[in-house]
Amino acid sequence: KIEIWSRQQAAERRPDARYLPFDLLEVAAAQPALIRHLLEQVLVDLQQGCLAPLPLQVFAEQHCVEAFRLMAQARHVGKLVISRGEQPAALRVRPDGTYLVSGALGALGQQLLAWLAQRGARSLLLVCRSAAQPPAEAQALLDRLAEQGVACRLLPVALGAAGDGVDAVAPLVAALGALPAGYPLRGVLHAAGVLDDGLIGGQTPDRLQAVLAPKASGWWQLERAVAAVGAPLDFAIAFSSMAALLGSPGQSSYGAANGALDGACGAGGGFGGTGAITLALQWGPWAGAGMAAGQGRRLAARGVRPLPPPAALEALGVALRRGRGGVLAVVDNDWPLLARQAPPRQAAAMRSLVEALPSGPGSGPGAGQPERQRICGLPAPERQAALVALLQHRLAAVMGLADASAIDPGDSLFQIGLDSLMAVELAASIHSDLGVKLELDSLAGDPSLDTLAALVLRGLERADGLSGEAPLDLAQEAQLPPGWSLPSGPAASPPGEAILLTGGSGFLGAYLLAGQLHRWPALRPVVLVRAADGEQGAARLRHNLERYGLWQPAWGERIEALPGDLALPRFGLEPKAFADLAGRIGGILH
């Protein structure tokens, strides 16, 4: 072990340490070469084995509770590390790659293009039947992407062409081969698809093939094209549907087509001879877009909530960051309602999802647990003692004590060795067992098991209606007595022509500033803001108001941004400027 001591500490040297004769502060200031020599000596000692690293204990992610408990009890030596094991690398949208989007000019495809551009994509290959003559809305999007520097190449191809698919594969191969050398194909997002709903009795081979073609056949054609050009593909994502997961009335063909995509991605094995990750996303309906547009009320009645497009695209980003292939469902369903209307086989498949959800008053963590049911079933005088006994065992487990009965319920928890990390773990255990959430201020002061048990018991009684007290009626409490009126007073007067406002670039400051501007049309607020100059400060204030949806263009001429620092004398202003400011403001909002 090497230690560096000041001269004042030299008399305290221990015999097990090796000392270097430097006063570190003096050396650092006067002779940096000696510091370099010190570091070189340390490296030599490391290489020769004179210095040993601190012990390292690695805990798997599922054993992190044991790791924190060991650290909380100060029984560890060296470092503790929580290991998640080897994780796949996150997939990302790269600015130096091209991304192929099928069904690119459809409702979902257009949102996908904007999302890719936002993620940094600068080269897109759009495969769509209508690419030769884009609709007006799609053309407007393409124009906006071009203004952002995104190169969009349009390929008018109908995926899943009849026959052996040469009609679709050949132009795909040609388009991929013509990509710029600096923008090779990095990702495929297959969002093409058509619907032809109908009862099974009315289905024909031709109707089935029309639905299978763009989905399943189109996927295989894309795979053949990628194999032909040998693209350095990172991922291939198939837009599947919840219809393949749960079935959907009248959509046997659509469910089969998406099920084929799920099977292809679930099998793994890359895409077109590449090592690309293949992922099928079983989407729930997108709100206001896609094939479920206009079906919101019918779907909600079944328990299927549409996905807001921003949330769906955020889920797509999460799926990429996972870096894993396979099949992933992205849905927002009311599972109990959906299960009640489902056929028996479907309902059985949803049972585990329904059982994992809260289902009424007193539900949540701890609901349905034996300990909660046992304590709530006891006579009122016996509940406190039963809770104390339960908490004794939970506390003993947290503190690593073998004998729970050795803990005196009246003793201070912190005096018997409980620390902040253990307190958090104890509170989590109580929440899990009994469904009662203890806020951290419940553990403030000098708590004991008796006081904690009383708090938990009140929580249980409130949740399960065991206290016998009438529930608080907030609507009744909000009623004012008859005849009450607002006391009269002088009318508010404006604070002059200008006020000084601090904190205007924060959340509260934005609303204070907007409120003053609304209330006093002639007021010119002077807002103290950290900025290099007034122009930069004004831009910062405007951006903050826009962030909260408060900005009005007319305010630009009324707000005066004053560059300064509240922590400095006179805000860092020159004496004359400070005196001028003090002379013209009629009020301060700090």
Side-chain angles (χ1 to χ4, degrees):
K1 149 169 139 178
I2 293 181
E3 295 185 2
I4 300 174
W5 293 63
S6 69
R7 292 193 182 99
Q8 291 82 358
Q9 296 171 307
E12 304 174 22
R13 292 180 178 179
R14 296 196 300 271
D16 62 336
R18 172 183 171 196
Y19 296 94
L20 300 177
F22 300 144
D23 185 311
L24 184 60
L25 295 178
E26 291 181 7
V27 171
Q31 302 188 48
L34 286 178
I35 294 295
R36 186 164 56 250
H37 170 75
L38 168 64
L39 295 177
E40 290 171 351
Q41 182 62 51
V42 170
L43 290 174
V44 170
D45 286 348
L46 282 170
Q47 292 167 352
Q48 294 178 352
C50 300
L51 301 176
L54 289 171
L56 190 70
Q57 286 181 269
V58 180
F59 289 79
E61 186 178 14
Q62 61 268 31
H63 298 301
C64 64
V65 171
E66 289 87 339
F68 277 99
R69 181 176 296 144
L70 183 65
M71 183 173 67
Q73 296 170 356
R75 292 192 287 112
H76 67 294
V77 177
K79 291 184 177 293
L80 303 181
V81 176
I82 306 297
S83 172
R84 298 184 62 199
E86 189 171 349
Q87 300 291 314
L91 301 171
R92 62 188 181 91
V93 177
R94 302 166 49 146
D96 60 347
T98 296
Y99 294 88
L100 184 154
V101 181
S102 68
L105 300 185
L108 265 62
Q110 291 184 43
Q111 300 194 55
L112 190 54
L113 296 180
W115 180 82
L116 285 167
Q118 185 181 10
R119 284 297 182 104
R122 288 296 171 263
S123 176
L124 301 175
L125 178 57
L126 282 50
V127 179
C128 185
R129 288 174 295 181
S130 60
Q133 293 182 322
E137 182 181 359
Q139 186 60 57
L141 171 63
L142 296 176
D143 293 341
R144 289 196 301 272
L145 292 176
E147 292 173 359
Q148 298 171 22
V150 181
C152 295
R153 297 167 179 83
L154 279 69
L155 183 62
V157 165
L159 290 177
D164 60 2
V166 173
D167 291 341
V169 174
L172 282 170
V173 171
L176 294 178
L179 292 176
Y183 293 90
L185 185 67
R186 291 289 185 180
V188 170
L189 297 104
H190 182 42
V194 297
L195 281 178
D196 185 12
D197 293 356
L199 299 177
I200 290 180
Q203 293 296 331
T204 65
D206 289 341
R207 291 183 66 182
L208 174 61
Q209 179 58 33
V211 178
L212 284 173
K215 283 278 186 186
S217 301
W219 177 264
W220 295 321
Q221 289 172 352
L222 290 168
E223 191 169 5
R224 289 172 58 190
V226 168
V229 299
L233 202 64
D234 296 325
F235 60 83
I237 297 179
F239 275 37
S240 180
S241 168
M242 190 180 72
L245 173 68
L246 299 174
S248 180
Q251 294 191 329
S252 59
S253 298
Y254 191 64
N258 287 292
L261 294 180
D262 299 344
C265 294
F271 185 84
T274 70
I277 298 294
T278 56
L279 173 66
L281 292 173
Q282 295 174 324
W283 292 108
W286 286 39
M291 299 176 184
Q295 302 294 320
R297 183 174 299 177
R298 180 181 66 85
L299 292 170
R302 293 183 55 209
V304 178
R305 291 183 285 258
L307 298 168
L313 292 169
E314 182 180 351
L316 176 57
V318 172
L320 285 178
R321 289 196 297 272
R322 289 176 72 244
R324 295 187 178 95
V327 184
L328 185 66
V330 185
V331 297
D332 182 15
N333 292 342
D334 182 339
W335 293 107
L337 178 58
L338 194 60
R340 286 197 298 270
Q341 303 179 63
R345 182 177 295 180
Q346 277 188 335
M350 300 179 204
R351 186 172 299 124
S352 61
L353 291 169
V354 174
E355 291 173 351
L357 296 174
S359 57
S363 61
Q369 294 298 322
E371 293 294 354
R372 181 186 181 117
Q373 293 176 354
R374 179 178 67 84
I375 290 173
C376 291
L378 292 172
E382 300 178 15
R383 292 174 193 151
Q384 172 86 8
L387 268 175
V388 168
L390 175 63
L391 295 183
Q392 278 180 311
H393 285 88
R394 295 297 176 266
L395 181 59
V398 167
M399 298 183 65
L401 302 177
D403 184 8
S405 62
I407 302 176
D408 188 331
D411 284 348
S412 164
L413 297 181
F414 293 112
Q415 288 183 9
I416 65 176
L418 188 76
D419 60 26
S420 57
L421 283 173
M422 295 180 188
V424 171
E425 187 178 346
L426 178 62
S429 174
I430 293 171
H431 189 218
S432 176
D433 283 343
L434 302 170
V436 176
K437 185 175 182 181
L438 286 178
E439 302 296 341
L440 289 183
D441 57 6
S442 305
L443 299 168
D446 200 19
S448 65
L449 281 185
D450 282 334
T451 57
L452 277 188
L455 284 172
V456 173
L457 184 58
R458 284 200 295 272
L460 285 175
E461 290 175 342
R462 282 196 301 267
D464 290 359
L466 301 177
S467 63
E469 300 176 0
L472 183 63
D473 186 346
L474 293 179
Q476 180 63 36
E477 293 292 322
Q479 297 298 318
L480 295 171
W484 186 92
S485 62
L486 187 69
S488 60
S493 58
E497 294 183 359
I499 62 168
L500 176 66
L501 185 142
T502 67
S505 58
F507 168 76
L508 178 59
Y511 282 90
L512 284 173
L513 178 57
Q516 293 296 304
L517 290 164
H518 273 299
R519 185 173 188 184
W520 312 113
L523 185 68
R524 301 178 65 86
V526 180
V527 186
L528 188 68
V529 60
R530 289 187 180 182
D533 52 39
E535 183 179 354
Q536 185 187 85
R540 186 179 176 191
L541 295 173
R542 183 181 66 253
H543 174 74
N544 191 50
L545 289 166
E546 289 173 344
R547 178 184 179 188
Y548 298 111
L550 302 172
W551 173 251
Q552 293 185 14
W555 291 351
E557 299 178 356
R558 295 175 57 194
I559 300 174
E560 177 185 341
L562 177 65
D565 189 336
L566 194 63
L568 296 177
R570 300 188 305 271
F571 310 146
L573 302 176
E574 295 295 330
K576 183 178 184 307
F578 184 74
D580 291 343
L581 172 67
R584 64 190 176 98
I585 60 173
I588 297 174
L589 276 176
H590 177 43

